[in-house]
Amino acid sequence: MKILCTGGAGYVGGACMRWLLRHGHDPIAFDNLSMGNRGSVPADRLVVGDIEDRDALSKALRDHGAEAVMHFAALASVPESIEDPEAYYRVNVVGTKNVLDAMLDNGVKLILFSSTAATFGFHAEMPLTEESPQSPETPYGTTKLAAEWLIKDYAKAYNLGYGLLRYFNAAGADPDGAHGESREKESHLIPLTLAVPLGHREKLLVYGGAFDTRDGTCIRDYIHTEDLAQAHQLTLEALKPGVGKAYNLGSGSGTSVLEVLRACEQAVGKPIAHEITDPRPGDPGVLVASSERIKRELGWNPQFSAIQQIVDTAWRWHVDHPNGYGGAQ
Ligand SMILES: NC(=O)c1ccc[n+]([C@@H]2O[C@H](COP(=O)([O-])OP(=O)(O)OC[C@H]3O[C@@H](n4cnc5c(N)ncnc54)[C@H](O)[C@@H]3O)[C@@H](O)[C@H]2O)c1
């Protein structure tokens, strides 16, 4: 299929673009490069544009002859969303509306949306299933849930097919070394941890050591981008107008911050300096997914998401790319 990937030059979008190319699809990225990297997608598969610009989106869909959209582009930092909700509503909600409107302009009927564990309440029972209550507790989560609602309402009225893919913690790098996690402003645990042995940071700050967890640090569910990419392919291929799917995507097992740190030390072969500091607002103690629904319905079969495998692939990529992609240009 011909697919327009908003945010396709970013971390998860870039991994999905590669996977789709390897599996016979024809994706292009539509990205403003605010967080993404020009070097992460082939030059002839990148349209530089902003999802705040409906006309540019419409033109990109038309020029590519797109049959489906994968909508990865978003602002995605919880602490930043608490400080600046205006930007989050503008990009994540109004931006999603622009994507949908541009689809209507061009008769594009299928959309996959990058949603998140942050749309769920913090105190729900773990693991989180698709039936767990969605009551986000941060502006990031609220804007992503609002985008889910927009998509569902448009789908009902305009006969769209949609997939809401709620990732837990995306992590890891291409096993063949081609694509990894590289942002100028990094907020994700594994690249921040590996930045210490690479000499880019003095130490890792561990936010909170007194959560009600086995070692006091936050527990999250890490899912490899290759496994996320497989979920996108399977969901896309199961969609048609009038069909809507929502899936939680995680490994089903939780790993604490200190366990991630140990896995990184194992990959690197030496200790990594760290300091436990205050918890950040908006960080729940535990988030773990149940992904039984997509396994049952679509045969999703995650292969890369053991924590050591995730960290080993990430470390290999960072060793080969000590300065990441080197920024947007
Ligand atoms: N990384 C995770 O652990 C995680 C977890 C849950 C959900 N998600 C969601 O997955 C998606 C991708 O996340 P990621 O980690 O790859 O993030 P990322 O920041 O690496 O990628 C986002 C991409 O969107 C682009 N972008 C941002 N604003 C844009 C705009 N206005 N117009 C066009 N492009 C724009 C950025 O340049 C970047 O390339 C996001 O929607 C995020 O909310 C990510």
Side-chain angles (χ1 to χ4, degrees):
M1 286 179 89
K2 289 180 174 293
I3 304 156
L4 182 117
C5 296
T6 73
Y11 172 50
V12 181
C16 289
M17 290 267 303
R18 283 173 193 282
W19 179 282
L20 291 166
L21 280 166
R22 290 204 304 273
H23 290 82
H25 291 288
D26 180 3
I28 55 159
F30 180 93
D31 199 301
N32 70 357
L33 300 177
S34 58
M35 295 289 275
N37 299 284
R38 193 180 282 281
S40 71
V41 282
D44 59 350
R45 291 193 175 271
L46 173 64
V47 176
V48 178
D50 200 301
I51 60 168
E52 292 187 52
D53 182 348
R54 170 180 169 171
D55 292 342
L57 275 165
S58 224
K59 179 172 184 320
L61 286 170
R62 196 168 51 247
D63 289 351
H64 190 52
E67 299 155 273
V69 169
M70 291 193 182
H71 180 30
F72 302 96
L75 300 181
S77 153
V78 167
E80 192 182 75
S81 78
I82 294 170
E83 281 166 26
D84 186 12
E86 188 277 333
Y88 276 69
Y89 277 86
R90 185 162 36 78
V91 176
N92 295 357
V93 182
V94 182
T96 299
K97 181 177 180 299
N98 286 334
V99 170
L100 290 163
D101 289 338
M103 288 171 60
L104 297 187
D105 292 342
N106 289 279
V108 179
K109 292 284 188 186
L110 304 179
I111 180 166
L112 287 195
F113 174 61
S114 303
S115 191
T116 164
T119 59
F120 291 101
F122 290 172
H123 304 291
E125 204 178 310
M126 298 294 146
L128 293 161
T129 72
E130 292 78 6
E131 309 304 324
S132 298
Q134 281 183 292
S135 55
E137 303 195 30
T138 64
Y140 170 58
T142 315
T143 57
K144 292 301 250 186
L145 184 58
E148 285 198 9
W149 287 343
L150 258 172
I151 291 168
K152 285 186 192 170
D153 284 344
Y154 269 58
K156 213 180 290 170
Y158 309 118
N159 195 34
L160 307 182
Y162 67 87
L164 309 175
L165 298 182
R166 301 182 190 125
Y167 321 156
F168 281 58
N169 284 54
D174 238 11
D176 66 8
H179 179 66
E181 193 163 14
S182 169
R183 304 182 188 85
E184 272 178 54
K185 237 177 13 176
E186 190 51 76
S187 62
H188 294 77
L189 177 61
I190 293 171
L192 286 175
T193 308
L194 297 178
V196 179
L198 287 167
H200 299 323
R201 276 174 188 266
E202 193 191 322
K203 62 186 169 195
L204 173 73
L205 292 180
V206 176
Y207 295 111
F211 288 97
D212 184 16
T213 59
R214 52 186 172 263
D215 61 18
T217 62
C218 285
I219 289 183
R220 294 289 181 271
D221 185 337
Y222 294 87
I223 181 77
H224 199 290
T225 47
E226 291 292 288
D227 291 329
L228 289 179
Q230 188 206 31
H232 282 75
Q233 183 203 349
L234 293 173
T235 310
L236 176 74
E237 291 172 0
L239 281 192
K240 51 183 188 235
V243 170
K245 310 242 177 219
Y247 296 121
N248 291 357
L249 299 177
S251 69
S253 72
T255 308
S256 76
V257 176
L258 292 180
E259 289 163 351
V260 170
L261 177 70
R262 300 293 166 244
C264 290
E265 290 177 333
Q266 174 79 26
V268 172
K270 58 180 185 189
I272 296 175
H274 66 282
E275 180 190 330
I276 297 185
T277 174
D278 291 339
R280 290 178 305 189
D283 263 348
V286 183
L287 285 175
V288 178
S290 162
S291 299
E292 293 311 307
R293 184 190 277 180
I294 187 169
K295 288 181 184 166
R296 196 176 56 243
E297 290 186 5
L298 303 183
W300 185 51
N301 178 21
Q303 304 264 323
F304 298 93
S305 292
I307 194 66
Q308 196 61 54
Q309 200 177 0
I310 283 177
V311 168
D312 287 347
T313 55
W315 176 239
R316 255 196 318 273
W317 191 80
H318 283 288
V319 168
D320 289 345
H321 304 80
N323 296 310
Y325 284 107
Q329 304 311 314

Short mmCIF file of all heavy atoms in Angstrom, two decimals, residues 25 37 58 102 134 195 293 300 308 327:
data_model
loop_
_atom_site.label_atom_id
_atom_site.label_comp_id
_atom_site.label_asym_id
_atom_site.label_seq_id
_atom_site.Cartn_x
_atom_site.Cartn_y
_atom_site.Cartn_z
N HIS A 25 5.52 -2.62 1.11
CA HIS A 25 4.67 -1.42 1.07
C HIS A 25 5.48 -0.23 0.53
O HIS A 25 6.68 -0.33 0.31
CB HIS A 25 4.11 -1.13 2.47
CG HIS A 25 3.10 -2.16 2.90
ND1 HIS A 25 1.84 -2.23 2.36
CD2 HIS A 25 3.17 -3.16 3.81
CE1 HIS A 25 1.17 -3.22 2.93
NE2 HIS A 25 1.96 -3.82 3.81
N ASN A 37 14.98 13.10 12.14
CA ASN A 37 16.31 13.18 11.51
C ASN A 37 16.19 12.94 10.02
O ASN A 37 15.69 11.90 9.59
CB ASN A 37 17.22 12.12 12.11
CG ASN A 37 17.41 12.30 13.60
OD1 ASN A 37 18.15 13.19 14.03
ND2 ASN A 37 16.71 11.50 14.39
N SER A 58 -2.45 17.73 2.62
CA SER A 58 -3.32 17.33 1.52
C SER A 58 -2.51 17.10 0.24
O SER A 58 -2.69 16.12 -0.47
CB SER A 58 -4.33 18.45 1.30
OG SER A 58 -5.60 17.94 1.13
N ALA A 102 -7.32 16.35 5.91
CA ALA A 102 -6.58 16.15 4.65
C ALA A 102 -6.91 14.79 4.06
O ALA A 102 -6.97 14.63 2.83
CB ALA A 102 -5.08 16.28 4.91
N GLN A 134 -9.76 4.51 30.58
CA GLN A 134 -8.87 5.54 30.04
C GLN A 134 -9.21 6.86 30.73
O GLN A 134 -10.24 7.47 30.44
CB GLN A 134 -9.04 5.65 28.53
CG GLN A 134 -8.31 4.55 27.77
CD GLN A 134 -8.42 4.69 26.28
OE1 GLN A 134 -9.51 4.53 25.73
NE2 GLN A 134 -7.33 4.98 25.62
N ALA A 195 24.04 7.29 27.21
CA ALA A 195 24.81 8.53 26.99
C ALA A 195 25.94 8.66 28.01
O ALA A 195 26.92 9.37 27.77
CB ALA A 195 23.89 9.75 27.08
N ARG A 293 -4.98 -9.18 23.14
CA ARG A 293 -5.98 -9.00 22.08
C ARG A 293 -5.34 -9.04 20.68
O ARG A 293 -5.81 -9.74 19.80
CB ARG A 293 -6.73 -7.68 22.28
CG ARG A 293 -7.83 -7.51 21.25
CD ARG A 293 -8.45 -6.12 21.27
NE ARG A 293 -9.47 -5.98 22.28
CZ ARG A 293 -10.16 -4.84 22.48
NH1 ARG A 293 -9.92 -3.78 21.73
NH2 ARG A 293 -11.06 -4.78 23.42
N TRP A 300 -0.08 -11.35 16.31
CA TRP A 300 1.14 -10.59 16.60
C TRP A 300 2.09 -11.45 17.44
O TRP A 300 1.66 -12.11 18.38
CB TRP A 300 0.79 -9.32 17.39
CG TRP A 300 1.94 -8.39 17.64
CD1 TRP A 300 2.83 -7.90 16.72
CD2 TRP A 300 2.31 -7.80 18.90
NE1 TRP A 300 3.72 -7.04 17.33
CE2 TRP A 300 3.43 -6.96 18.66
CE3 TRP A 300 1.80 -7.88 20.20
CZ2 TRP A 300 4.05 -6.23 19.67
CZ3 TRP A 300 2.41 -7.15 21.21
CH2 TRP A 300 3.52 -6.34 20.94
N GLN A 308 17.27 -7.50 27.68
CA GLN A 308 18.69 -7.50 27.30
C GLN A 308 18.85 -7.36 25.78
O GLN A 308 19.77 -6.67 25.31
CB GLN A 308 19.38 -8.78 27.81
CG GLN A 308 20.90 -8.68 27.82
CD GLN A 308 21.42 -7.57 28.74
OE1 GLN A 308 21.08 -7.52 29.91
NE2 GLN A 308 22.23 -6.66 28.20
N GLY A 327 21.52 15.30 14.21
CA GLY A 327 20.55 16.40 14.13
C GLY A 327 19.75 16.38 12.85
O GLY A 327 19.93 15.52 11.99
#
